[in-house]
Amino acid sequence: MKNRFLEALNARPLLFDGATGTMLQRLGLKPGGCPDELSLKDPAMVRKVHAAYIEAGSDIVTTNTFGANRAKLAEYGLEGKLKEINIAAARCAREEAGKERFVAGGFGPTGRFVEPVGDMSFDEALAIYTEQAEALKDGGADLVIIETMMDIKEMKAAIMAAKSVGLPVAATMTFDQTMRTVLGTPPESFAIMAAALGADCIGANCSLGIEGIYQAVSVMSKVVDIPLIVQPNAGIPVLKGTETVFPASPEEMASFVPRLVASGVRVLGGCCGTTPEHIRKMGTVFKSLKPVTREKKNFTALASRTSFTLFGGGLPAIVIGERINPTGRKALAQEIKEGKTAGIRNEARAQAASGAHALDVNVGVPGIDEVEAMGRAVFAVNENSTLPIVIDSSSPEAVEAGLKAADGRPLVNSISGEEKKLSTILPLAKKYGAALLALTLDDSGIPETAEGRVNIAERILNKVLEAGMRKEDLIVDCLAMTVSAAPLSAIETLKAIRLLKDRLGLTTVLGVSNISFGLPAREVINASFLTMAIAAGLDSAIINPNNKAMMDAYHSSLVLLNQDIRAERYIKRHQAATEAVRHITVNDSATGLDSVVAAPQGLDARLKKAVIEGDEENIVSLVEEALKEGWDPIRISGEGLVPGLEEVGRLFACNKYYLPQVMLSADTMKRAFERLKKELKGKTGPSLGKVILATVEGDIHDIGKNILATLLENHGFEVIDLGKNVPSARIIDEAVSKKADIVGLSALMTTTVMEMDKVIKELKDKGVKVMTIVGGAVVTKEFSDKVGADEYGGDALSAVEKMKRMMKGS
């Protein structure tokens, strides 16, 4: 049965509505009140907003349910009314939209992060959004619009929830001026994941003005070919007098619309600060323009939270690191048995540094709980590498655990022509939006001929297409058989690669090292075969990227085949090789475990390294070692732990680390401090200062504040966190009674930022000698100066450094 919204999406440009919260506040919503509850308490007010946008030309109106998920409603004690609120909101929208227009059920963030960044499990996130999706569908929603997301895993759960109840999905994330979300996700990674999960249109909303939103969707259009949606703010908010305003006029925003359409935008709306007049002006231009024809993307795309990899379709071949695999490696296998991840984390870092583009993760050790081990291993790789993940297991349960744990879009290794594999693994890949690696074997075994292997690949491709996946979602391994036992096997494998490319146009992969089993000087055979395979059309090679001979062969092959334009990669690699060697790779012949051995380090350097790498597993044992050697807690902190966290701050500032790594390092510090507190025996160590933190009255957003609180504590501040929606009187009372050095104020909403001005003025009027710092999504340096704050916070790590300077200055 055809879907009415999807038919319209394919037929013509569609116009969404604009800001809902701003309109509701103008109509009487009180600061700090629950806007979602208005669909029950004052449905006429909600319908007025919908009616205004429909009169302005909107084809789609969004339900007043941005915060109507269980996690957010619980902040108001309304979680028991979730179904009632969502159904009422959908019906309010439907009453105004009628049968001709569409109702989009609105999803917003839960206010929490999904593990390992936060404390919410993926299953919990999925359940929260499924519950809301079911209620919106019951109320008559035609589709779901997911807005203002910052966490790519929360987005994954939201898309899966909406698709599970049969609703089309429009999905948008919010990016800052660095073209990343607060957790470090670039637009391309989001686009790759969302498209693979079955989102029907994707894009960006909020945060940036229309030009910034245009930049975000422009790069999305390079990696996906599905329709794009934009919902920009009316510019970046500024303070005029005592009012925060959005400066972009309807005419200014309308003038930018042709560039949006040229980038592939087929759905247009507005976010904060936009009004029915903005929608009217933009919509008039939008609907007068003919949508562009998008070029089909015929490459395969994988993504992590913070990066992405493209291959196949004529793009340069890539390297998939094979070292996270316990086969024949006793030390790694023993670690996995013991539930440890040090070896996995080291291998992830080493392979990434050696030039891998994706990392295979295999934890297949007999006698273990592979489901638990796979989830733990994927978390470890996520936290120690920016590369996409290949989930390598024959167990469907372990594969699903890996799919839930993985950030972005992974590759599943593997399926085959065997019916059992097709019936169990293929549905999981479809459900979680993963790409699939297929082995050219079936229930009869591995065909000896290239034609036989390609025939199996064709059968698998048909099954993949029947499941609703694309040809580009399938990567085929023509299987390298050992030439010592079958002398013609290499020739047949190379022939199969060529046939596969010519006949089916599929992306190819190969586990290269299998070719040389039983032969001396294996790396010579492997390197030569890799070069031949890339020349035959190989798109991805599963190899050891720490092996110099293999990487030399890989890079030289790209140059010779003109896949490395102007030999830029090759030159860059060899320039790097001439620099000082920081690590030496040695081989443990007894275990077969390659390990990266750093130059000899003192205890201070090892403590610092553990914090930088977020080594929660070993930080306490390092602290214990330092205590046994006679170090006092202050020395451990000052010479080891704090310098590590300062280096994390530097890496964050130069965009080499992102918030997930920062939070992991902070959690590592927390574990170390918990152990050190036992040594203090009730005493408190020196404090850099006492800080009051609060989200101002009327505002219930606190993710940024909570992150800052954690970082401040780890840097040695004493933090009194008053929570959210805090009245000015309480902030002042606490500042006086606790003798605070600094008051930190947070706000996310334009309608609440002036509460900061109120608090700062009252502090000064009452003669409270305390320094102030302000921050939040809508807070700018200009605003900070106008309200008389001592500092503008910016991001969490910048705020920490500024507070340090404030205390030194005082």
Side-chain angles (χ1 to χ4, degrees):
M1 181 178 176
K2 292 184 177 180
N3 181 277
R4 192 170 67 92
F5 168 74
L6 295 180
E7 285 183 331
L9 178 63
N10 292 324
R12 66 183 192 273
L14 294 174
L15 190 64
F16 252 92
D17 49 11
T20 298
T22 305
M23 295 282 286
L24 290 173
Q25 284 154 1
R26 289 179 181 177
L27 292 171
L29 173 64
K30 295 179 181 179
C34 177
D36 310 282
E37 192 182 16
L38 285 175
S39 299
L40 291 177
K41 294 175 68 176
D42 194 347
M45 183 191 293
V46 177
R47 287 200 301 271
K48 280 182 184 179
V49 176
H50 297 319
Y53 283 117
I54 288 169
E55 195 277 329
S58 294
D59 300 300
I60 310 165
V61 290
T62 308
T63 59
N64 179 38
T65 54
F66 182 76
N69 60 69
R70 179 166 293 276
K72 297 299 288 185
L73 288 176
E75 295 172 358
Y76 301 97
L78 294 171
E79 64 271 29
K81 292 187 175 182
L82 182 144
K83 187 171 183 179
E84 189 180 355
I85 287 171
N86 280 277
I87 289 175
R91 288 176 178 168
C92 280
R94 175 59 65 201
E95 286 173 14
E96 297 301 326
K99 294 182 178 180
E100 297 302 315
R101 295 179 179 83
F102 302 100
V103 172
F107 277 10
T110 61
R112 297 163 62 191
F113 291 136
V114 180
E115 61 183 2
V117 180
D119 62 354
M120 181 166 60
S121 72
F122 182 81
D123 284 339
E124 183 182 358
L126 183 61
I128 285 171
Y129 285 116
T130 301
E131 180 182 36
Q132 189 179 6
E134 288 171 344
L136 287 167
K137 185 177 182 181
D138 288 346
D142 299 298
L143 67 146
V144 162
I145 172 71
I146 306 167
E147 300 178 294
T148 324
M149 288 289 190
M150 297 176 285
D151 183 348
I152 195 171
K153 289 181 83 168
E154 188 176 45
M155 173 62 84
K156 179 190 286 190
I159 294 173
M160 288 177 60
K163 300 300 285 189
S164 74
V165 303
L167 289 175
V169 174
T172 61
M173 293 195 83
T174 183
F175 304 92
D176 61 24
Q177 287 82 356
T178 68
M179 279 299 118
R180 289 183 181 269
T181 69
V182 70
L183 293 183
T185 300
E188 297 96 329
S189 287
F190 154 62
I192 288 165
M193 183 201 75
L197 284 166
D200 299 288
C201 61
I202 61 169
N205 82 302
C206 203
S207 259
L208 303 168
I210 197 164
E211 186 166 0
I213 292 285
Y214 164 73
Q215 293 173 16
V217 295
S218 291
V219 295
M220 290 184 199
S221 71
K222 296 177 181 178
V223 296
V224 298
D225 49 29
I226 65 173
L228 299 174
I229 173 175
V230 295
Q231 294 181 306
N233 287 347
I236 305 298
V238 296
L239 184 67
K240 287 190 176 180
T242 59
E243 185 181 4
T244 305
V245 300
F246 287 85
S249 69
E251 292 76 15
E252 288 172 327
M253 294 186 73
S255 69
F256 211 93
V257 169
R259 294 176 67 181
L260 296 174
V261 173
S263 70
V265 171
R266 294 184 63 92
V267 186
L268 174 66
C271 201
C272 302
T274 55
T275 65
E277 190 59 22
H278 285 89
I279 297 302
R280 187 191 315 278
K281 294 282 187 183
M282 290 194 296
T284 300
V285 177
F286 183 56
K287 292 189 175 182
S288 71
L289 300 170
K290 183 179 179 181
V292 298
T293 301
R294 303 280 300 287
E295 180 181 318
K296 188 180 185 302
K297 304 296 187 288
N298 61 354
F299 47 71
T300 299
L302 304 178
S304 69
R305 181 185 295 276
T306 56
S307 73
F308 60 97
T309 295
L310 310 176
F311 59 110
L315 294 173
I318 68 164
V319 169
I320 298 173
E322 67 181 4
R323 300 300 296 163
I324 303 174
N325 189 322
T327 303
R329 306 175 67 194
K330 294 179 182 178
L332 185 58
Q334 186 61 35
E335 271 200 356
I336 292 171
K337 278 185 177 180
E338 295 173 359
K340 297 179 180 178
T341 61
I344 291 170
R345 289 186 288 104
N346 288 338
E347 286 290 2
R349 288 177 176 272
Q351 291 181 102
S354 296
H357 304 95
L359 299 178
D360 189 87
V361 179
N362 183 309
V363 292
V365 177
I368 67 165
D369 182 341
E370 191 177 352
V371 172
E372 183 179 335
M374 179 61 80
R376 183 166 51 242
V378 171
F379 279 162
V381 176
N382 282 341
E383 293 166 344
N384 289 273
S385 162
T386 64
L387 301 180
I389 284 176
V390 181
I391 299 166
D392 185 355
S393 176
S394 59
S395 161
E397 294 78 14
V399 167
E400 185 162 22
L403 289 167
K404 290 178 181 179
D407 297 336
R409 189 196 193 201
L411 169 65
V412 171
N413 180 9
S414 59
I415 61 168
S416 67
E418 297 166 292
E419 188 56 40
K420 183 179 179 181
K421 288 283 185 75
L422 286 170
S423 63
T424 55
I425 304 296
L426 178 53
L428 288 174
K430 168 63 177 172
K431 178 181 178 181
Y432 289 91
L436 268 172
L437 190 156
L439 307 176
T440 50
L441 60 87
D442 59 16
D443 293 305
S444 299
I446 303 171
E448 292 184 3
T449 66
E451 288 82 359
R453 295 179 200 180
V454 173
N455 288 338
I456 291 175
E458 189 168 16
R459 293 200 300 272
I460 295 171
L461 173 61
N462 290 334
K463 291 286 188 180
V464 167
L465 296 176
E466 287 172 12
M469 298 175 70
R470 305 175 311 148
K471 182 171 74 171
E472 291 74 25
D473 298 330
L474 183 64
I475 300 96
V476 176
D477 188 337
C478 292
L479 297 172
M481 311 300 292
T482 177
V483 290
S484 60
L488 296 177
S489 62
I491 294 172
E492 286 300 317
T493 297
L494 296 173
K495 182 180 177 182
I497 292 171
R498 294 189 189 98
L499 276 175
L500 198 67
K501 303 298 288 187
D502 293 342
R503 189 184 300 176
L504 301 178
L506 288 168
T507 304
T508 56
V509 65
L510 199 62
V512 176
S513 62
N514 294 342
I515 204 72
S516 63
F517 282 134
L519 294 173
R522 290 184 58 193
E523 69 176 26
V524 177
I525 295 285
N526 293 344
S528 298
F529 185 57
L530 174 61
T531 299
M532 296 170 72
I534 293 175
L538 185 67
D539 297 304
S540 51
I542 303 175
I543 63 173
N544 176 6
N546 299 331
N547 185 294
K548 184 177 182 298
M550 293 299 286
M551 294 304 285
D552 284 345
Y554 165 72
H555 281 282
S556 59
S557 296
L558 297 192
V559 173
L560 296 171
L561 293 168
N562 197 34
Q563 293 186 16
D564 182 359
I565 306 302
R566 295 181 295 276
E568 290 176 357
R569 293 189 190 181
Y570 184 85
I571 293 169
K572 183 177 179 181
R573 178 170 183 263
H574 282 274
Q575 284 176 335
T578 62
E579 297 176 1
V581 178
R582 296 186 346 187
H583 297 91
I584 303 168
T585 302
V586 298
N587 181 264
D588 180 348
S589 57
T591 64
L593 175 63
D594 284 351
S595 58
V596 177
V597 182
Q601 293 180 323
L603 194 48
D604 56 344
R606 287 159 56 208
L607 284 162
K608 178 180 176 181
K609 180 172 180 284
V611 172
I612 293 169
E613 296 183 356
D615 188 359
E616 293 181 280
E617 198 172 282
N618 294 307
I619 189 65
V620 173
S621 63
L622 285 171
V623 170
E624 295 280 8
E625 184 180 342
L627 291 169
K628 286 179 182 178
E629 290 193 11
W631 289 35
D632 62 53
I634 303 306
R635 183 184 176 191
I636 292 171
S637 175
E639 295 184 18
L641 302 177
V642 172
L645 203 56
E646 288 173 344
E647 176 63 11
V648 170
R650 188 192 68 79
L651 292 169
F652 179 81
C654 63
N655 293 323
K656 291 184 178 179
Y657 264 26
Y658 301 102
L659 195 54
Q661 288 100 331
V662 172
M663 296 305 295
L664 180 63
S665 292
D667 289 341
T668 302
M669 285 281 285
K670 186 176 180 180
R671 288 197 179 193
F673 284 151
E674 285 172 353
R675 174 62 188 89
L676 291 177
K677 283 177 183 177
K678 296 178 182 178
E679 298 301 310
L680 295 171
K681 298 176 181 177
K683 300 176 183 177
T684 57
S687 169
L688 291 185
K690 191 177 293 185
V691 180
I692 299 281
L693 291 182
T695 300
V696 296
E697 188 171 15
D699 204 315
I700 48 84
H701 301 87
D702 65 351
I703 284 183
K705 174 184 65 62
N706 295 344
I707 292 169
L708 177 59
T710 299
L711 295 178
L712 284 171
E713 288 174 344
N714 285 318
H715 277 272
F717 285 90
E718 182 182 347
V719 178
I720 300 102
D721 188 348
L722 304 183
K724 52 199 172 188
N725 193 19
V726 185
S728 60
R730 185 182 173 210
I731 296 172
I732 293 163
D733 288 346
E734 292 286 343
V736 173
S737 65
K738 298 294 194 302
K739 297 181 180 179
D741 299 296
I742 300 173
V743 168
L745 303 174
S746 173
L748 185 70
M749 301 163 65
T750 57
T751 53
T752 60
V753 289
M754 289 312 299
E755 280 292 314
M756 293 178 169
D757 183 56
K758 178 182 176 183
V759 173
I760 291 170
K761 284 180 178 175
E762 289 186 14
L763 284 168
K764 291 177 179 177
D765 291 344
K766 295 186 178 183
V768 182
K769 293 183 178 180
V770 65
M771 293 175 286
T772 55
I773 184 169
V774 296
V778 297
V779 178
T780 63
K781 177 68 168 64
E782 291 72 21
F783 176 87
S784 173
D785 292 341
K786 282 191 177 183
V787 299
D790 293 294
E791 263 293 0
Y792 162 62
D795 63 69
L797 276 170
S798 296
V800 172
E801 294 306 314
K802 289 172 182 177
M803 290 192 202
K804 285 182 178 180
R805 292 198 296 269
M806 290 165 73
M807 291 307 302
K808 286 180 181 178
S810 67

